[in-house]
């Protein structure tokens, strides 16, 4: 992350009546960073985004943009623009008029506006449709125009409020690539809000996982997925198996635990020191089956098998305990393991995580 700070949020809290949306939230966002706020509905991520934009005011705390306190600044005086989920384009205006609108309000001269509008529409590959109106466009095309309009004034920070949620799967995947390229090309700090873990993992430099109005963890996509700080993060980001375990010892970030399978293993831990009970998290793709089983090994019966194209997902019964596994399909025939079979099951202890329950 760039050491320069584009955004500084300090001890921000917000309540709506008796409902506390945010509880003393603090984090920094680096200049030129693609930063994502990820979490379920009601976790406070959109409230935070609206505070950055100036549409909401915290009950307490501080928000600084590029070193300047902005709580007393109205939205139009912050060098921040927002791309909304519904695009918010003016239906009676052409695309070039939509992109020019904000620049006209800033008092730019006609020649400068014309040049900037052409540059921005070209950047989002919409220059040939400049005279069309939003109603003549697809959802993905309207999203591109909304991005061009938001980027045109060269904001210091661009806020994106679940901008891809209305698009179909293939278009969302294509727009993720375009958004990341736009961020890199423009050098503008992007603050992206989503509940979609795949979007967050794919695009972000860093992710803040929010839950119950608090920041649960901040880190790179790899850190969030491979080293979750607690059970909430492990459960929300990706799929995982959870097992209650007895903690026997914790030393230097490792915990020795007794599993419900009757095996004692040592795995990386977070927040477990001093506890007698904890949760073992094992991602399905870390579980090996059949002749590939390594590390901690046992036997289980395949209860269910689901072919999903690139992967096959399994549900296994190990002495009355359910475990899920995923295997990549390397050939057209897929996986030869069938439902009903008893197979070897294994995972490397270093690939698991012992978490505070």
């Amino acid at each position: 992350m760039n050491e320069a700070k584009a955004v500084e949020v300090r001890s921000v809290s917000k309540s709506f009546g008796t409902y506390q949306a945010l509880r003393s939230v603090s984090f920094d966002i680096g200049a030129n960073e693609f930063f994502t706020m990820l979490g379920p509905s009601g976790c406070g991520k959109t409230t935070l985004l609206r505070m950055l934009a100036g549409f909401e005011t915290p009950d307490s705390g501080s928000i600084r943009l590029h070193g300047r306190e902005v709580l007393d600044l109205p939205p139009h005086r912050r060098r921040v623009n927002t791309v909304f989920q519904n695009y918010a384009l003016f239906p009676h205006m052409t695309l070039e008029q939509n992109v020019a609108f904000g620049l006209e309000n800033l008092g730019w001269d006609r020649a400068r506006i014309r040049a900037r509008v052409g540059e921005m529409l070209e950047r989002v590959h919409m220059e040939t449709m400049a005279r069309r109106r939003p109603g003549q466009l697809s959802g993905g095309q309207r999203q591109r125009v909304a991005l061009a309009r938001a980027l045109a004034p060269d904001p210091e920070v661009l806020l994106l409020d679940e901008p891809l949620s209305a698009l179909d799967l293939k278009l969302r995947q294509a727009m993720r690539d375009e958004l990341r390229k736009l961020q890199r090309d423009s050098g503008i700090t992007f603050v992206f809000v989503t509940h979609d873990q795949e979007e967050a993992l794919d695009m972000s430099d860093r992710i803040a996982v929010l839950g119950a109005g608090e920041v649960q963890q901040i880190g790179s996509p790899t850190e969030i997925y491979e080293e979750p700080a607690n059970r909430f993060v492990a459960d929300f980001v990706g799929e995982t198996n959870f097992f209650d375990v007895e903690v026997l010892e914790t030393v230097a970030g490792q915990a020795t635990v007794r599993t419900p399978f009757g095996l004692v293993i040592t795995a990386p831990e977070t927040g477990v020191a001093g506890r007698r009970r904890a949760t073992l998290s094992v991602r399905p793709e870390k579980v090996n089956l059949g002749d590939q089983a390594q590390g901690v090994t046992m036997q289980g019966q395949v209860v269910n098998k689901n072919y999903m194209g690139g992967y096959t997902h399994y549900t296994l019964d190990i002495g009355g305990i359910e475990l899920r596994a995923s295997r990549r399909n390397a050939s057209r025939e897929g996986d030869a393991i069938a439902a009903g079979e008893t197979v070897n099951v294994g995972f490397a202890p270093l690939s698991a995580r012992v978490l505070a329950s």
Side-chain angles (χ1 to χ4, degrees):
M1 184 185 75
N2 192 318
E3 290 185 3
K5 297 175 183 177
V7 178
E8 298 169 71
V9 175
R10 293 287 179 271
S11 303
V12 165
S13 296
K14 179 69 176 180
S15 294
F16 297 96
T18 58
Y19 172 66
Q20 188 160 12
L22 294 169
R23 305 168 187 270
S24 194
V25 170
S26 296
F27 58 82
D28 295 334
I29 302 174
N32 309 331
E33 184 177 20
F34 198 122
F35 186 88
T36 296
M37 293 190 287
L38 171 68
S41 297
C43 71
K45 57 188 186 297
T46 296
T47 299
L48 266 171
L49 198 79
R50 289 176 59 81
M51 287 179 179
L52 295 178
F55 303 139
E56 295 282 357
T57 302
D59 297 332
S60 60
S62 168
I63 297 176
R64 301 173 70 87
L65 299 178
H66 285 275
R68 182 185 183 187
E69 178 63 59
V70 295
L71 289 185
D72 293 332
L73 291 181
H76 69 275
R77 292 189 58 197
R78 304 184 188 193
R79 289 196 58 190
V80 170
N81 270 355
T82 305
V83 178
F84 298 99
Q85 183 177 335
N86 63 358
Y87 316 135
L89 298 174
F90 299 114
H92 62 287
M93 293 184 180
T94 65
L95 306 191
E96 58 186 3
Q97 288 171 336
N98 265 280
V99 177
F101 181 79
L103 305 180
E104 292 168 352
N105 287 339
L106 290 173
W108 289 27
D109 63 62
R110 289 177 179 270
R112 188 182 177 195
I113 289 174
R114 188 163 48 250
R116 185 62 171 172
V117 168
E119 175 190 347
M120 296 315 301
L121 288 175
E122 183 177 359
R123 180 174 285 183
V124 298
H125 313 295
M126 293 295 294
E127 67 275 12
T128 61
M129 301 184 183
R131 301 298 175 86
R132 295 190 186 183
R133 287 180 166 78
Q136 298 172 286
L137 306 180
S138 68
Q141 289 169 333
R142 290 197 296 271
Q143 186 59 274
R144 289 188 180 97
V145 177
L147 283 165
R149 185 181 62 182
L151 289 168
D154 196 25
E156 291 179 338
V157 178
L158 184 67
L159 309 176
L160 301 107
D161 189 9
E162 304 208 42
L164 308 183
S165 60
L167 306 179
D168 62 46
L169 177 61
K170 286 196 172 182
L171 190 51
R172 283 205 308 271
Q173 291 170 335
M175 284 301 298
R176 291 205 304 251
D177 293 338
E178 291 196 27
L179 273 176
R180 195 69 176 102
K181 186 175 188 304
L182 272 173
Q183 192 272 329
R184 287 171 177 160
D185 290 347
S186 67
I188 293 171
T189 300
F190 277 27
V191 182
F192 187 88
V193 159
T194 185
H195 63 273
D196 188 308
Q197 306 98 31
E198 189 174 292
E199 284 181 1
L201 293 171
D202 183 31
M203 292 190 292
S204 312
D205 293 318
R206 286 190 307 144
I207 300 168
V209 181
L210 282 86
E214 298 177 326
V215 174
Q216 302 291 326
Q217 184 176 0
I218 296 178
S220 69
T222 300
E223 289 168 340
I224 294 292
Y225 188 81
E226 300 288 352
E227 304 170 17
N230 54 41
R231 180 167 179 154
F232 177 90
V233 176
D235 191 26
F236 188 75
V237 182
E239 298 288 330
T240 194
N241 295 286
F242 286 127
F243 306 106
D244 292 330
V245 293
E246 178 188 0
V247 180
L248 303 178
E249 184 182 32
T250 56
V251 179
Q254 301 282 314
T256 300
V257 299
R258 191 186 310 280
T259 71
F261 312 115
L263 300 172
V264 174
I265 70 169
T266 300
E269 63 88 10
T270 304
V272 175
R275 296 176 180 263
R276 295 185 61 185
R277 306 296 302 182
T279 298
L280 180 69
S281 170
V282 184
R283 301 285 188 187
E285 71 275 12
K286 308 294 188 183
V287 178
N288 302 311
L289 302 180
D291 57 6
Q292 297 178 6
Q294 298 177 12
V296 178
T297 56
M298 48 208 151
Q299 285 201 322
Q301 184 179 36
V302 179
V303 176
N304 199 19
K305 174 181 177 179
N306 299 100
Y307 175 79
M308 303 297 291
Y311 286 85
T312 299
H313 301 303
Y314 295 89
T315 303
L316 299 111
D317 183 311
I318 302 174
I321 299 168
E322 183 181 291
L323 181 144
R324 288 166 293 154
S326 296
R327 297 183 72 178
R328 180 182 292 276
N329 295 323
S331 66
R332 179 177 177 179
E333 289 74 23
D335 205 305
I337 296 174
E341 283 190 41
T342 297
V343 297
N344 290 327
V345 181
F347 63 89
L350 287 177
S351 69
R353 200 87 186 169
V354 183
L355 305 169
S357 300

